[in-house]
Amino acid sequence: MAKGTHDFAPDPRNESILISVNGKLVPRAEASVSVFDSGFMLGDGVWEGLRLHRGKFAFLEAHLDRLYEGAKAIAMDIGLTREELMRRLDQTIDGNSMRDEEGVHIRVMVTRGIRSTPYQDPRVVISSATIVIIPEYKTPLPSTIETGIRLFTVHVRRGDPAVQDQKLNSHSKLNCITACIQATEAGADEALMLDPHGFVATCNSTHFFIVRKGEVWTSSGDYCLGGITRSNVIRVCREAGIPVFEKNFSLTDVYGAEEAFVTGTFAGVVPVTEVDGRHLTDGRGPMVERLQGLYRNLMDRDVS
């Protein structure tokens, strides 16, 4: 079983899924890419995580926007139009008879393609982009949604965009992996990461929010990925008249918060009960429970 915000119970159906590798559906055990692939060799690519909800991909347009903007930023040609990629997503879901299933999570990975030799320069790429789509039956555990997770603030910082822009949802995740390792070694479920100035930025795989005196705070967004669930939670707060702010705040503000939570495509809104040993709540607080409901309603509206 995985740990942290991505807690899930293994599903035996995943052993027989078909994975889309450059448009061909192949059994999981046979799915592979070249050792010369840019993603394997250098982490040179972009990706998205999607959820199937009521037979449709939730917030698909926003996810495709981020994928194609990321590819453009690194001068990578995906090689498919948005419509063609959407058809490939549909083929993958329908090929696995998942259309009417709940709890389906999809990872879309696009790399620059195969290189002729181990070398950074994209001019040695000799193929079109590699596109892999992995659908899985994967549902967050009810205990994660209800009783929450614990965070630990790590020494690994979110970097300056001039070093590696955090807005890129790239395959190069070593910064976040290092943070995750430190947090799990400290006995926590996920890492809380600061920006270069010492303000709270984000978590290693999710976005972070706190609740103070009826207000919802999240980071300025300057040093984190443009999270789709993050933006949707901000949206539902505004629609519901809940004061929400994107701003700089410190760990002192976190330790004194009434509630905290993280957001992500996989699990939606997840309560945080403890940060650096400071107890915040026993399970989810009233604001988190309310936001979980508002987010579910927004997802229903998106696919209706």
Side-chain angles (χ1 to χ4, degrees), residues 20-258:
S20 174
V21 181
N22 290 326
K24 181 180 179 182
L25 291 176
V26 297
R28 181 187 185 115
E30 300 172 19
S32 62
V33 297
S34 169
V35 295
F36 287 94
D37 185 80
S38 296
F40 171 77
M41 188 174 290
L42 294 165
D44 184 6
V46 291
W47 63 275
E48 285 294 321
L50 304 169
R51 284 206 73 77
L52 196 67
H53 184 62
R54 297 187 175 181
K56 296 182 180 179
F57 300 101
F59 311 115
L60 179 59
E61 291 299 329
H63 282 286
L64 292 179
D65 283 346
R66 190 169 65 181
L67 183 74
Y68 277 86
E69 288 171 7
K72 184 177 181 181
I74 61 173
M76 183 181 74
D77 181 9
I78 290 178
L80 296 178
T81 66
R82 289 169 69 109
E83 291 72 23
E84 289 169 338
L85 182 56
M86 289 167 66
R87 284 197 293 271
R88 191 168 292 185
L89 284 164
D90 285 332
Q91 291 166 358
T92 304
I93 293 301
D94 293 335
N96 282 281
S97 300
M98 289 174 160
R99 182 63 63 182
D100 298 322
E101 300 286 345
E102 287 297 320
V104 175
H105 183 265
I106 304 97
R107 177 64 63 92
V108 182
M109 296 172 285
V110 185
T111 78
R112 201 178 298 273
I114 297 172
R115 281 169 150 80
S116 61
T117 185
Y119 189 50
Q120 292 181 6
D121 194 330
R123 289 173 293 185
V124 302
V125 173
I126 57 174
S127 77
S128 57
T130 300
I131 304 175
V132 175
I133 304 172
I134 303 176
E136 290 185 308
Y137 297 100
K138 190 183 295 183
T139 303
L141 295 177
S143 59
T144 303
I145 302 299
E146 295 170 8
T147 62
I149 63 170
R150 297 167 301 147
L151 303 183
F152 178 79
T153 305
V154 299
H155 81 279
V156 183
R157 300 292 179 97
R158 299 293 284 193
D160 188 294
V163 178
Q164 181 172 334
D165 196 337
Q166 303 299 325
K167 300 300 181 187
L168 281 172
N169 201 17
S170 74
H171 283 218
S172 304
K173 289 291 182 183
L174 197 55
N175 173 261
C176 295
I177 293 169
T178 305
C180 180
I181 291 170
Q182 186 180 354
T184 55
E185 290 294 325
D189 301 307
E190 188 158 333
L192 183 61
M193 303 177 71
L194 307 180
D195 70 22
H197 308 290
F199 295 112
V200 172
T202 187
C203 295
N204 63 272
S205 67
T206 57
H207 288 86
F208 181 70
F209 291 74
I210 60 175
V211 180
R212 293 178 60 91
K213 299 180 179 179
E215 297 178 348
V216 174
W217 296 6
T218 190
S219 74
S220 66
D222 293 339
Y223 296 94
C224 63
L225 179 69
I228 291 165
T229 310
R230 175 186 187 268
S231 65
N232 282 329
V233 167
I234 292 171
R235 173 184 172 183
V236 298
C237 282
R238 290 173 176 160
E239 290 177 348
I242 300 169
V244 59
F245 300 96
E246 297 176 84
K247 58 185 291 183
N248 288 329
F249 59 90
S250 71
L251 287 172
T252 299
D253 297 309
V254 174
Y255 299 153
E258 287 88 48

